[in-house]
Amino acid sequence: MAEELIPETPDESEEPIKQRKNGLYPGVSDELAENMKSGWADTELRDLEPIPQAVETAARRAALSARFPGERLVIPAGNLKTRSNDTEYAFRASVEYAYLTGNQTEDGVLVLEPKDEGHEATIYLLPRSDRENGEFWLDGQGELWVGRRHSLTEAGTLYGIPASDVRELAGALREATGPVRVVRGYDAGIEAALTDKVTAERDEELRVFLSEARLVKDEFEVGELQKAVDSTVRGFEDVVKVLDKAEATSERYIEGTFFLRARVEGNDVGYGTIAAAGPHACTLHWVRNDGAVRSGELLLLDAGVETHTYYTADVTRTLPINGRFSEIQRQIYDAVYEAQEAGIAAVKPGAKYRDFHDAAQRVLTERLVEWGLVEGPVERVLELGLQRRWTLHGTGHMLGMDVHDCAAARVEAYVDGVLEPGMCLTVEPGLYFQADDLTVPEEYRGIGVRIEDDILVTDDGNRNLSAALPRRSDEVEAWMASLKS
């Protein structure tokens, strides 16, 4: 990795000189500085079209404006975070900001200024790197180092929002009067400029509204979720094709294989891939992925591709590493499949959000009683929650720009709410028998099974966005065999 330019010092000392952010760069000769100012072609992009979701983002801003009339609304993208010394983590804009603008660049801020009717939106961004003062080649975040930024004119065209220089925003906010709300937790500098103008309670109302606004997806969002799922399906196929190589290495071969698909077809993985082989499948969020992959055991792969617009899939399949389920593996897998079928059937408009969880839990409880692992009757077990020793988690969650989307929504609007067309959620029951669980027969221990699909609520029921991946045990075996042939 290249290091930033360290200008020669007058005394030719080898002591590195840190780059300054104030426009003064010691050790750069006047001749070189002058030379770097000129001789550059005009690269302004003049034939840009608005981003595909510009109509949708405008509608979202209009809904936000209607909810908070007469108030200044401030939604930051966030800032870069240092990973180590002079390197940064890959940047991901705040979901609230990206949802309302479609922009994904660091330091951006959307401001809705109240007018007599509605609001006037402005997107505040860093302009192109200044070539006159040397910023573009001497600053570590200059364009020579990290790539070209859109000009403010270009940004205005792309996002359908007038763009201004974000470096002037903090001062303007300090001078602003009238009620203000800000989405907290992303930009400390913007929050500091508003310290005496905002309250935590009012800001939380803004965050909750933006979370609940994402409960029902528009047409663009559904298309992006399907795109994410389709890439994820191909990622699972990639993994099955290299299971023999994973056996020779570790779970990280599986993680890396899926990651390649995510980076080639999307922006990234939507969350840390769970590549859990053998007893690791019983650890719900196993992301170390450093364990052995052994023939005869199961692989629980929970993974999702994130699109370039931040929408993510979230799919899980539990696969026999050698391509064939053992008798006990099939018994447990089929029970989870049956539970998932019941859960998916309960997803429909007008149903309570909790219905699909209850339906899946009932099936799993019936099987646990049937196998003699817990004393019935089923109603007693459900009432006391005894099945949860092995079912462990909820059966699903909303899905969108966050893998656990809409998390700030009110309980009455989400988990105690009613399903509507356009909602997208996961249905993911599981059974997990820990390797040290002495309450179950030895043959059960170390087996973990989860099956997860992404389900869209439609006008007349639901659509399984990830239906292209086989789920039934015999279909899984046939699918794996076809990929390895």
Side-chain angles (χ1 to χ4, degrees):
M1 183 178 183
E3 291 184 291
E4 295 178 24
L5 175 67
I6 301 175
E8 295 180 5
T9 58
D11 62 359
E12 298 183 345
S13 167
E14 294 183 0
E15 179 71 16
I17 298 176
K18 295 288 185 182
Q19 301 301 331
R20 297 181 184 176
K21 305 295 184 184
N22 60 3
L24 302 176
Y25 301 94
V28 174
S29 69
D30 291 343
E31 289 81 357
L32 177 58
E34 193 63 32
N35 177 273
M36 291 296 284
K37 291 180 183 179
S38 60
W40 306 104
D42 177 8
T43 60
E44 184 75 8
L45 304 176
R46 295 179 174 82
D47 297 321
L48 293 174
E49 297 290 335
I51 58 173
Q53 68 268 43
V55 172
E56 285 81 6
T57 55
R60 297 166 194 167
R61 293 192 299 274
L64 177 61
S65 173
R67 172 61 180 82
F68 299 104
E71 303 184 51
R72 181 176 289 102
L73 308 174
V74 182
I75 301 95
N79 315 123
L80 291 171
K81 291 182 173 60
T82 299
R83 181 181 186 275
S84 175
N85 192 24
D86 58 350
T87 62
E88 290 80 25
Y89 286 103
F91 179 74
R92 190 180 192 274
S94 75
V95 165
E96 295 87 350
Y97 174 85
Y99 177 75
L100 293 167
T101 66
N103 178 259
Q104 300 175 8
T105 54
E106 65 271 14
D107 301 325
V109 184
L110 172 68
V111 178
L112 271 62
E113 292 281 350
K115 299 299 178 184
D116 290 339
E117 293 187 9
H119 288 77
E120 181 178 81
T122 303
I123 187 170
Y124 290 85
L125 302 166
L126 286 171
R128 296 287 308 278
S129 289
D130 193 332
R131 301 200 178 214
E132 185 66 24
N133 69 7
E135 174 196 355
F136 87 101
W137 68 289
L138 288 170
D139 189 292
Q141 292 300 315
E143 291 185 8
L144 184 146
W145 288 99
V146 299
R148 184 186 187 278
R149 295 194 289 263
H150 283 297
S151 71
L152 298 180
T153 300
E154 292 169 355
T157 300
L158 285 169
Y159 305 110
I161 314 170
S164 293
D165 190 337
V166 72
R167 294 172 296 189
E168 302 170 358
L169 179 58
L173 290 176
R174 289 189 188 94
E175 300 299 321
T177 59
V180 184
R181 297 179 193 254
V182 62
V183 176
R184 300 189 181 205
Y186 298 114
D187 193 318
I190 293 299
E191 289 181 38
L194 295 168
T195 297
D196 59 348
K197 305 177 190 297
V198 295
T199 68
E201 182 180 2
R202 287 166 49 77
D203 292 346
E204 180 64 10
E205 289 175 351
L206 172 60
R207 188 173 79 101
V208 168
F209 174 82
L210 289 172
S211 190
E212 292 181 7
R214 302 198 306 275
L215 284 168
V216 176
K217 270 59 180 178
D218 58 38
E219 186 176 351
F220 175 84
E221 293 178 290
V222 172
E224 289 299 292
L225 285 167
Q226 186 65 70
K227 188 186 302 182
V229 168
D230 292 345
S231 289
T232 298
V233 169
R234 290 187 283 273
F236 274 70
E237 292 172 346
D238 296 339
V239 167
V240 170
K241 292 175 182 178
V242 300
L243 278 177
D244 56 335
K245 294 183 175 63
E247 286 188 59
T249 53
S250 76
E251 295 162 335
R252 292 201 173 174
Y253 201 97
I254 294 165
E255 177 186 355
T257 298
F258 187 86
F259 181 68
L260 177 61
R261 177 67 64 174
R263 286 294 279 170
V264 167
E265 295 192 1
N267 178 55
D268 207 330
V269 290
Y271 53 95
T273 296
I274 299 168
H280 288 162
C282 298
T283 301
L284 298 182
H285 286 173
W286 176 260
V287 293
R288 299 179 200 171
N289 299 335
D290 59 359
V293 179
R294 304 182 184 90
S295 179
E297 295 185 335
L298 298 176
L299 166 68
L300 190 157
L301 178 59
D302 185 335
V305 172
E306 177 186 82
T307 67
H308 293 291
T309 55
Y310 288 174
Y311 290 87
T312 185
D314 182 7
V315 177
T316 305
R317 289 294 182 269
T318 304
L319 310 172
I321 292 167
N322 64 10
R324 300 287 296 181
F325 290 101
S326 70
E327 183 178 350
I328 186 65
Q329 289 170 351
R330 189 184 304 275
Q331 172 187 313
I332 296 169
Y333 184 95
D334 287 349
V336 175
Y337 170 77
E338 185 183 352
Q340 194 200 27
E341 283 282 273
I344 292 174
V347 175
K348 53 191 173 184
K352 295 178 181 178
Y353 174 82
R354 295 180 185 270
D355 286 352
F356 75 93
H357 170 74
D358 293 342
Q361 287 287 297
R362 175 170 291 277
V363 171
L364 294 177
T365 301
E366 290 171 350
R367 295 296 159 265
L368 292 167
V369 171
E370 177 185 313
W371 300 337
L373 301 184
V374 63
E375 182 181 350
V378 169
E379 294 299 336
R380 167 187 168 273
V381 176
L382 289 169
E383 182 180 356
L384 298 175
L386 301 179
Q387 82 284 359
R388 293 179 61 183
R389 181 182 178 101
W390 304 286
T391 65
L392 296 180
H393 55 78
T395 307
H397 51 81
M398 291 294 178
L399 186 66
M401 297 182 82
D402 281 329
V403 66
H404 295 150
D405 208 25
C406 313
R410 295 165 299 158
V411 171
E412 57 267 32
Y414 189 166
V415 295
D416 284 343
V418 173
L419 296 180
E420 300 177 38
M423 290 182 170
C424 188
L425 50 91
T426 67
V427 178
E428 50 175 313
L431 282 174
Y432 311 90
F433 300 99
Q434 306 299 324
D436 59 351
D437 188 349
L438 301 181
T439 70
V440 300
E442 187 174 358
E443 62 180 348
Y444 286 79
R445 298 173 197 165
I447 295 178
V449 174
R450 180 163 66 253
I451 312 172
E452 177 181 21
D453 285 86
D454 301 341
I455 310 298
L456 175 70
V457 183
T458 61
D459 290 334
D460 57 357
N462 68 67
R463 184 168 90 237
N464 185 348
L465 301 181
S466 45
L469 271 182
R471 292 185 297 126
R472 211 173 63 200
S473 57
D474 59 336
E475 293 175 342
V476 168
E477 290 174 332
W479 169 70
M480 293 182 70
S482 71
L483 291 172
K484 291 183 176 182
S485 61

